[in-house]
Amino acid sequence: VRTGKPLKAVTVTDTPHGSSDINGGLWGIAKSLGGLLTPDADLNLSSPSLLFPALDGLDGNEPYLTEDDDEESLYDALSISSSSSDSSDGGLSRVSSSGSLSGLEDRVRVKVHPGRVDIFNGAEHLRLHADGMMELRRVKDGVPVLITAGRVSLPDNCRDHIESCDIAVLDESIGAVQLSWINGSALRVVAASPAGVEKGDVGVLPFDRDHGNPASDPSWAKKLACGFVLEFSVSQHTAEEARGMAEVELDMRTAGYWFGGGHYMRQHWPLNRGQFELGPFFPFDNGPNGNNTLLAAQWMTSRGLLVLANPDTPFLHVGLNAPQVGPHDGWIQRSWGTGVQNLARESLPAVENGTGDGMLRLQARASYRTVEMLHPLRDWMPALWKEEQDKDQRLSLQFALCATANVKQAAEAALQTLPRPSNPPPREMVDAPIWTTWARYHANVTQAKVEQFAHEIVGRGLSRSVMEIDDKWQTKYGDFDFDPVKFPNPKEMVEMLHALGFKVTLWIMPFVEEASAAYQEGAPKGYFLSSSAPATKGLKPGFFKWWQPVPAAALDVTNPEAVAWFVGRLKRLRADYLIDGFKFDAGEPCFLPPHFVSHKPIVTPVEYTRLYVQEVASQFSYAEVRTGHKTSSVPLLTRMGDRFSTWSTGNGLRSVIPTLLTSGILGYPFCLPDMIGGNAYFGNKPDVELLVRWAQANALMPAMQFSIAPWDLSKEADKLCKAVLELREKLAGTIFSLMEDACSKALAPVCRPMWWLDPDDAETFPIDDQFAIGDDIIVAPVVVKGQKKRDVYLPKGTWCELLNPSNTFEGPTWLEDVEAPLHIIPIYCRVMPTDIVSPSNEGMEETVDRAATMVPVPVRIEDAKLVLADSEALVENPSTETVKC
């Protein structure tokens, strides 16, 4: 402890019954060790509650094994041995091909003890205590291993009467259990599986309470094939005593490195590197606790923990390693507006500095009126929610905990719960970059500038897919007509762009200004959100501020007539001017009027985001969005929020790879990184080095988007960015093939974290500046200013340099000081098992051709012969069919 050095392995032992003095002894040791443990350290405790020095009410915690228990008695009904406890799929293959449950009756068991209950689901074991504490374990090699520990927050009067907790087994066949306390608080659990959670739909879990509340919909967990689904509910009276919430807290350190959650203004990878302040959890344009445009309530860890929360939980609040400051449980006084109002705010989440609480905290609250936190929806109270609460008088938090074999299986279990798109975005948008007017011209775009831009691109022989004409091409915001002064002949312009090989899209958002013809037409028909708030600060009811100075009203996407009107106008615009599609901006709930009222009542504001993407944007194939909520099935590019033209992890270049990886593990594989070089806000344009390094990092991501013209900076930038586009052309087929796979193979990311290639390799967990394309190409771009060399990590397997395939390496290994001058991107390809020796380097073009066509196929190689015919390879083997590879 005195050395302050990180610890990789710690064992804390005790008497069989644990320490009776929880304020000293082992607890004191654990308090000292907590700040020194690395996230992947091996920690073995006789009582997991020792990890909770900040929590009170832990009297009576007992060790894992007691006098009436031993490992044999705990696991005797499960037939789990060291050879069977971790199957290759981590227990995900629970359902047979016929749809029947594969041995679930033998896998699930419940055992009740005084003051606690044990629930077993295959190799997973959840222990719940009468004091609200819980521990989640997984059997690995025949030994139960602690994955995480936590608790549900009980009010003081519950803790004073722990003995009154009633433990009831509702249905042992699916592991359904309920813990009830004297004040009406209850914790219900069911072993997760398609059949188990569906059975819960009719009474085991109270999913049948509807009242139009999307939080009553169990679909978020129906496809979860491992772990446990829980619901913690409290009465309104109890909630007031428990700080106005139903809350669960989970220890972060036990679970290792954390990933997921969403896009943030400062994108930490892993999440342990940040302090995520406790706050509202909905998409925002630079908002509370750093929330940005895409959030999903799912987290996975290097130890195999998966945490899901019902994404439609009303007034969901989340904190992760929140700073322990202030008198209000970590609240920090913040004030958030919308758009440019927040650019001067501190870039959040803050960097971890040792003051975080080390917890993931999930809260279902009674409102957004949180202490010291001001934001646009703070005072919003939906009528439907009030009506439901008058009937039910309860707050409910539904969540799931899974103890999978490793982080990849945790990610796959989460992705398995999400709907898949039927097809990828159009192939052109993958093969070649989108060119957009925004960062180059901002709102000063004109027809002449668009045409000049297009000719400059074509004249340099640069690849292209779409010319996106951004703000401000229209007369008034909300009107779908070109400004006749800035665009005198728009149809001729579009025809010219088509002739040059561009598709054409226009910037669209769901806002209208009062002076627009659209508002005058739609307002009398109720096509825009109204507001119950009085006029304030010059804003009429129903209007709000956004990133442009004119106030706006928002399309009511809950009104089918309004949606049909809006989409119909877009289709007429497309037909009149031969437009191909649209860039759909905004859609986050922060851009809604105070106290907004919708045509169809909604309980949670993220419903607005979902409907905007599903009902409006999805009507067009040549389209992009920047937000989402349960919209993984929409086959559109999902753009990152506006990047700054800096090197920083705070929304600059170093944030791009972590945001890309987060998109993939949250179920959005068609990630469109924002404009190469950033948005050049306030005149802060990138220099040559930043633009080139940004283009290199983006080169092999699912899609590319240029706006700042490389030739505006220098001839060198122009030349190097052209080389980047030539590289992409060679590998675009591989990228698109992986996008097709994502549609058919459970949303597997196109660009994958390093741990996806070897989830048991601890070296991969903290790597935030490399990514893999599929499983066979590793990209390690330079993302640090002035860097000419970098270290590269290669996981297990044989790898070769893309530019020098005869130079091979055996992983796992770190390659130190790899040469990476400004014209080089370190890229490595997996070498397939073969007796054929690769020829020497014949130049980058041939090498890239070979890398682009490498696809691993399961064939036996004995008595096989390799036949080369033109550029196609065939393996002929007497024992297998002939296959292409």
Side-chain angles (χ1 to χ4, degrees):
V1 173
R2 291 191 182 97
T3 67
K5 296 180 179 179
L7 303 174
K8 298 293 291 186
V10 176
T11 300
V12 182
T13 59
D14 197 9
T15 63
H17 294 285
S19 173
S20 59
D21 179 13
I22 63 171
N23 292 310
L26 294 182
W27 199 353
I29 295 173
K31 288 168 70 176
S32 299
L33 296 180
L36 298 177
L37 293 176
T38 61
D40 60 335
D42 292 325
L43 178 61
N44 303 297
L45 299 175
S46 62
S47 176
S49 60
L50 296 172
L51 290 172
F52 286 81
L55 305 183
D56 53 3
L58 298 181
D59 302 68
N61 275 292
E62 54 192 345
Y64 181 53
L65 300 179
T66 61
E67 287 180 322
D68 64 336
D69 269 335
D70 55 45
E71 290 188 32
E72 182 178 357
S73 66
L74 282 172
Y75 296 95
D76 56 1
L78 301 179
S79 300
I80 295 174
S81 66
S82 59
S83 62
S84 64
S85 59
D86 268 327
S87 62
S88 60
D89 67 350
L92 300 183
S93 303
R94 192 69 56 77
V95 181
S96 67
S97 58
S98 64
S100 62
L101 220 52
S102 178
L104 180 63
E105 294 79 9
D106 297 330
R107 298 173 62 93
V108 176
R109 188 186 178 201
V110 177
K111 191 170 185 179
V112 179
H113 303 265
R116 77 163 199 262
V117 60
D118 293 297
I119 310 168
F120 302 91
N121 188 8
E124 300 170 279
H125 170 202
L126 178 65
R127 171 169 289 180
L128 304 173
H129 297 268
D131 61 359
M133 296 293 295
M134 64 179 69
E135 297 116 37
L136 180 67
R137 293 177 173 82
R138 180 176 182 84
V139 178
K140 295 186 176 182
D141 297 325
V143 177
V145 176
L146 180 67
I147 302 300
T148 193
R151 75 166 188 177
V152 293
S153 297
L154 298 174
D156 292 339
N157 62 344
C158 277
R159 297 193 195 119
D160 295 338
H161 299 87
I162 296 301
E163 70 283 352
S164 66
C165 175
D166 177 66
I167 301 176
V169 179
L170 305 178
D171 187 339
E172 184 171 4
S173 69
I174 58 171
V177 172
Q178 176 168 305
L179 282 72
S180 305
W181 289 271
I182 57 172
N183 58 9
S185 299
L187 178 63
R188 297 188 180 190
V189 188
V190 64
S193 72
V197 179
E198 286 175 11
K199 187 170 183 179
D201 190 19
V202 292
V204 176
L205 289 175
F207 290 139
D208 52 342
R209 294 182 294 111
D210 190 353
H211 310 310
N213 181 358
S216 302
D217 178 8
S219 62
W220 67 276
K222 272 190 174 179
K223 294 183 179 179
L224 190 63
C226 60
F228 307 88
V229 180
L230 303 92
E231 179 180 61
F232 179 53
S233 62
V234 297
S235 67
Q236 286 278 35
H237 174 70
T238 300
E240 293 172 4
E241 295 179 0
R243 299 169 292 156
M245 71 189 79
E247 179 185 53
V248 61
E249 299 175 332
L250 298 173
D251 178 61
M252 289 181 61
R253 296 183 185 95
T254 322
Y257 290 98
W258 288 68
F259 309 93
H263 292 185
Y264 296 95
M265 291 302 295
R266 184 178 293 277
Q267 196 72 39
H268 298 288
W269 181 281
L271 300 174
N272 309 59
R273 290 175 172 162
Q275 293 181 331
F276 298 72
E277 297 172 9
L278 192 60
F281 195 76
F282 59 81
F284 212 105
D285 183 9
N286 186 2
N289 44 345
N291 291 358
N292 213 358
T293 54
L294 182 68
L295 296 179
Q298 55 194 63
W299 297 265
M300 57 226 61
T301 81
S302 58
R303 291 280 179 86
L305 173 66
L306 172 62
V307 182
L308 303 176
N310 186 336
D312 288 312
T313 301
F315 305 114
L316 178 64
H317 285 64
V318 174
L320 191 142
N321 194 34
Q324 301 178 82
V325 298
H328 301 292
D329 304 303
W331 291 110
I332 297 177
Q333 185 170 355
R334 302 282 190 189
S335 180
W336 301 96
T338 54
V340 295
Q341 301 174 55
N342 297 331
L343 290 181
R345 306 283 197 270
E346 177 185 357
S347 184
L348 297 177
V351 176
E352 158 66 3
N353 61 9
T355 64
D357 64 8
M359 302 286 179
L360 170 65
R361 299 168 70 182
L362 305 176
Q363 300 175 344
R365 301 179 71 92
S367 75
Y368 282 130
R369 292 187 62 85
T370 51
V371 179
E372 306 288 358
M373 180 74 74
L374 300 178
H375 58 87
L377 292 184
R378 184 174 187 265
D379 297 318
W380 178 67
M381 179 58 64
L384 183 62
W385 165 256
K386 222 177 155 194
E387 178 183 321
E388 180 176 341
Q389 289 306 100
D390 289 343
K391 295 178 181 178
D392 198 19
Q393 293 290 312
R394 300 187 70 77
L395 295 177
S396 172
L397 176 66
Q398 296 171 2
F399 60 102
L401 301 176
C402 306
T404 69
N406 54 52
V407 62
K408 180 184 177 183
Q409 291 184 6
E412 289 174 328
L415 294 172
Q416 186 172 285
T417 67
L418 303 175
R420 300 194 298 269
S422 58
N423 55 271
R427 176 70 184 260
E428 303 100 300
M429 300 176 79
V430 177
D431 287 350
I434 297 167
W435 294 85
T436 174
T437 64
W438 175 246
R440 197 183 196 201
Y441 303 116
H442 289 128
N444 298 317
V445 64
T446 65
Q447 179 175 334
K449 291 177 179 178
V450 172
E451 292 176 351
Q452 177 187 349
F453 196 13
H455 283 296
E456 290 174 354
I457 295 165
V458 174
R460 285 169 169 77
L462 300 177
S463 56
R464 53 208 176 268
S465 61
V466 170
M467 175 64 76
E468 188 268 323
I469 303 173
D470 215 288
D471 185 15
K472 180 174 187 293
W473 59 270
Q474 66 273 69
T475 50
K476 301 287 185 182
Y477 289 116
D479 286 342
F480 295 162
D481 239 332
F482 282 91
D483 184 327
V485 176
K486 299 174 74 175
F487 292 85
N489 298 296
K491 189 172 183 179
E492 290 182 9
M493 175 192 68
V494 173
E495 290 174 337
M496 183 271 291
L497 291 172
H498 284 165
L500 293 176
F502 292 94
K503 299 291 185 182
V504 181
T505 62
L506 297 175
W507 173 80
I508 294 292
M509 76 298 183
F511 309 151
V512 297
E513 59 178 290
E514 187 176 16
S516 67
Y519 183 77
Q520 302 306 317
E521 178 186 351
K525 300 176 182 179
Y527 289 168
F528 306 107
L529 294 174
S530 60
S531 174
S532 60
T536 57
K537 298 181 181 179
L539 287 177
K540 295 182 178 180
F543 286 82
F544 56 92
K545 293 181 179 180
W546 55 302
W547 60 84
Q548 292 293 4
V550 57
L555 176 71
D556 188 346
V557 293
T558 73
N559 184 342
E561 289 186 11
V563 170
W565 169 77
F566 191 84
V567 171
R569 292 168 63 236
L570 288 175
K571 290 181 177 180
R572 284 195 300 274
L573 172 64
R574 183 177 62 177
D576 290 345
Y577 296 105
L578 307 179
I579 300 299
D580 298 285
F582 303 96
K583 170 185 176 177
F584 290 97
D585 212 348
E588 301 86 1
C590 60
F591 296 114
L592 300 176
H595 300 275
F596 73 87
V597 179
S598 55
H599 170 79
K600 179 182 178 182
I602 59 177
V603 171
T604 171
V606 289
E607 274 295 285
Y608 187 92
T609 298
R610 182 185 66 79
L611 290 169
Y612 176 54
V613 175
Q614 286 188 344
E615 303 301 323
V616 178
S618 68
Q619 303 300 311
F620 305 90
S621 57
Y622 287 92
E624 62 179 84
V625 295
R626 76 168 192 183
T627 189
H629 172 69
K630 299 197 307 185
T631 51
S632 58
S633 62
V634 176
L636 301 178
L637 293 174
T638 301
R639 179 174 64 89
M640 298 180 190
D642 294 10
R643 301 289 108 173
F644 301 153
S645 298
T646 70
W647 293 86
S648 169
T649 56
N651 211 45
L653 173 57
R654 281 189 63 86
S655 72
V656 173
I657 293 176
T659 307
L660 166 78
L661 299 178
T662 300
S663 295
I665 62 175
L666 294 182
Y668 295 89
F670 309 146
C671 177
L672 171 62
D674 195 41
M675 299 163 205
I676 290 168
N679 283 256
Y681 285 135
F682 307 115
N684 296 322
K685 294 184 178 180
D687 59 16
V688 171
E689 183 188 10
L690 178 57
L691 186 75
V692 170
R693 291 304 196 189
W694 205 308
Q696 292 172 344
N698 195 165
L700 300 181
M701 294 180 182
M704 296 183 73
Q705 185 175 80
F706 273 102
S707 185
I708 297 171
W711 55 91
D712 283 349
L713 301 186
S714 73
K715 291 183 179 179
E716 181 186 27
D718 192 11
K719 177 183 176 181
L720 293 176
C721 288
K722 184 174 182 179
V724 164
L725 294 180
E726 291 171 352
L727 171 63
R728 182 176 184 83
E729 288 179 14
K730 301 298 183 181
L731 290 174
T734 298
I735 294 171
F736 191 76
S737 176
L738 290 166
M739 296 173 84
E740 290 179 315
D741 287 347
C743 301
S744 59
K745 298 179 181 178
L747 285 174
V750 173
C751 296
R752 300 170 182 176
M754 296 306 297
W755 47 253
W756 195 277
L757 307 188
D758 186 0
D760 296 318
D761 184 349
E763 290 289 332
T764 64
F765 300 145
I767 296 176
D768 64 351
D769 59 356
Q770 296 180 204
F771 63 92
I773 305 171
D775 291 335
D776 301 319
I777 300 175
I778 291 174
V779 185
V782 171
V783 292
V784 177
K785 182 177 177 61
Q787 193 175 60
K788 298 296 190 295
K789 298 180 180 180
R790 61 155 297 163
D791 296 344
V792 177
Y793 187 72
L794 302 177
K796 66 182 178 182
T798 304
W799 302 87
C800 69
E801 294 177 359
L802 177 69
L803 297 181
N804 186 11
S806 63
N807 193 13
T808 61
F809 309 90
E810 285 297 324
T813 185
W814 277 101
L815 305 181
E816 297 182 350
D817 293 331
V818 174
E819 295 289 341
L822 190 57
H823 65 285
I824 293 295
I825 318 170
I827 302 176
Y828 298 83
C829 301
R830 188 184 298 276
V831 178
M832 301 304 171
T834 176
D835 293 331
I836 299 175
V837 178
S838 299
S840 61
N841 183 16
E842 300 172 359
M844 179 175 178
E845 185 171 334
E846 290 80 2
T847 302
V848 174
D849 280 338
R850 287 194 296 273
T853 56
M854 281 199 307
V855 179
V857 291
V859 296
R860 297 173 58 189
I861 63 172
E862 57 266 27
D863 300 321
K865 61 181 179 179
L866 186 68
V867 180
L868 298 178
D870 297 325
S871 61
E872 189 174 273
L874 300 178
V875 173
E876 294 182 354
N877 189 323
S879 61
T880 63
E881 62 179 340
T882 299
V883 295
K884 291 182 180 181
C885 59

